Amino acid sequence: MAGLGKGSKTVGNNSENSQNSVGTKNKSCDYDFSGKNVLLCEDHPLNSEIAVRLLNRKHCEVDTAENGAIGIELFMNSKIGYYDLILMDVRMPLMDGIDATKVIRNSNRADSDIPIIAMTANAFDDDVDSLLESGMNRCLAKPFEPKELYKAIFEMTAI
Amino acid sequence: MSNLIDSLNERGCDTAGALERFLDDEDLYAQFYLRCLDDKYFVMLGQALLDGDIDNAFDYAHALKGVIGNMGITPLFNLTCEIVEILRAKTKAGVVERYNRLMKMRNEYKSLLNY
């Protein structure tokens, strides 16, 4: 997996911050994630569909899970290294993103260090730190801007 | 379809940001717009408030916040944020009044599709 290490915060829906964090607009349009497999854990179908469309636009292959438990099942049943990254909604029914992340991190799989990006509507709350402490690597604020999503995926999956 | 976009812009919605998520496809945006405004959580939130079930009410309001935010319907989003924060504090003060406003506003936004 790509160099992970400590988690970091990626500020989301703030134009000033996004301009600071993205580089050039042209660069954001050039991302091509062909060959990358993403596991998207998001409970709301509308949000999930939007994210899938954005990921497909950059040639990501995407599997979706409507809660953390299903996400874990998909991950655990996949070949080692199949998924390059997990996009994890924080609040989901049955099992939330924090618990799902802990299960993945504590698993014995060789790819248990897979990059996990949290997606939260409360990215400016204090609980962002707890997301990172749970093992997530980054936090994207919802609604995210496509270029921020692409940039985060690029940085987390680049070798 | 630009009538919808124009109407939303006049109401302070962030259609530019939302359309970016829809690859600038206004027809697709309109489809999701209707789905968003018909979301089951509008009704479920009302029922949870009637039942005094703050925990579920918070979950439903939070889900609405995410969806409405994705659609860039800013006035509706802001009102939903207010409801979320009240429920997050485990209170109900003013939340029913806001919910009623939310539903009224939702219907007004749905009617924009008829223009």
Side-chain angles (χ1 to χ4, degrees):
Chain A
M1 290 301 131
L4 296 181
K6 293 181 70 174
S8 62
K9 299 178 187 180
T10 297
V11 179
N13 53 359
N14 176 300
S15 58
E16 181 180 345
N17 284 317
S18 64
Q19 285 172 3
N20 288 339
S21 63
V22 169
T24 66
K25 186 174 184 180
N26 286 339
K27 185 177 179 181
S28 74
C29 297
D30 291 336
Y31 292 122
D32 183 345
F33 299 124
S34 297
K36 301 294 185 188
N37 296 300
V38 172
L39 174 57
L40 170 67
C41 300
E42 161 67 57
D43 65 313
H44 200 291
L46 193 147
N47 289 339
S48 181
E49 284 182 48
I50 292 172
V52 168
R53 285 175 188 275
L54 287 172
L55 295 167
N56 286 161
R57 182 189 195 189
K58 298 299 181 185
H59 313 296
C60 269
E61 292 293 326
V62 187
D63 291 328
T64 60
E66 63 190 46
N67 60 58
I70 295 174
I72 287 172
E73 185 179 346
L74 286 173
F75 178 73
M76 293 299 184
N77 290 331
S78 67
K79 290 182 180 177
I80 300 294
Y82 173 76
Y83 289 115
D84 297 286
L85 179 136
I86 298 175
L87 289 170
M88 186 76 80
D89 189 17
V90 176
R91 297 193 69 88
M92 292 183 286
L94 298 180
M95 179 181 283
D96 64 26
I98 292 176
D99 287 344
T101 297
K102 288 177 179 174
V103 171
I104 290 168
R105 293 294 185 235
N106 290 326
S107 71
N108 292 324
R109 289 176 58 105
D111 57 355
S112 63
D113 62 344
I114 183 172
I116 300 178
I117 299 177
M119 302 184 296
T120 175
N122 296 297
F124 296 101
D125 287 0
D126 293 334
D127 62 2
V128 170
D129 287 333
S130 69
L131 299 180
L132 300 177
E133 287 169 8
S134 76
M136 296 181 184
N137 301 96
R138 282 199 181 191
C139 185
L140 274 180
K142 293 199 298 185
F144 45 72
E145 294 181 12
K147 57 190 175 186
E148 292 173 348
L149 173 66
Y150 298 147
K151 180 175 184 283
I153 293 173
F154 176 78
E155 291 180 352
M156 299 302 291
T157 60
I159 297 175
Chain B
M1 197 51 59
S2 58
N3 283 348
L4 172 63
I5 301 301
D6 290 344
S7 298
L8 292 174
N9 287 338
E10 289 169 5
R11 288 163 173 77
C13 296
D14 178 24
T15 57
L19 280 171
E20 196 177 353
R21 285 186 282 279
F22 287 89
L23 317 180
D24 292 320
D25 185 336
E26 293 186 9
D27 290 329
L28 182 64
Y29 174 81
Q31 292 174 29
F32 278 70
Y33 177 83
L34 182 58
R35 285 176 59 190
C36 169
L37 296 178
D38 278 337
D39 195 282
K40 64 182 180 183
Y41 289 123
F42 280 105
V43 174
M44 293 170 72
L45 171 59
Q47 188 59 51
L49 292 175
L50 271 178
D51 296 341
D53 184 350
I54 291 182
D55 288 342
N56 273 328
F58 174 79
D59 285 342
Y60 302 148
H62 193 274
L64 282 175
K65 176 184 169 184
V67 176
I68 294 169
N70 248 333
M71 301 306 300
I73 312 172
T74 307
L76 214 56
F77 176 76
N78 290 338
L79 189 50
T80 309
C81 287
E82 291 180 26
I83 293 173
V84 166
E85 294 313 313
I86 292 171
L87 295 170
R88 188 197 304 278
K90 303 283 186 186
T91 69
K92 294 197 297 181
V95 75
V96 171
E97 180 271 328
R98 284 176 174 80
Y99 174 75
N100 290 335
R101 269 200 286 144
L102 179 75
M103 296 303 280
K104 183 181 178 186
M105 194 182 289
R106 178 193 74 151
N107 292 336
E108 290 170 359
Y109 275 86
K110 281 181 76 171
S111 72
L112 294 179
L113 283 167
N114 299 327
Y115 290 136

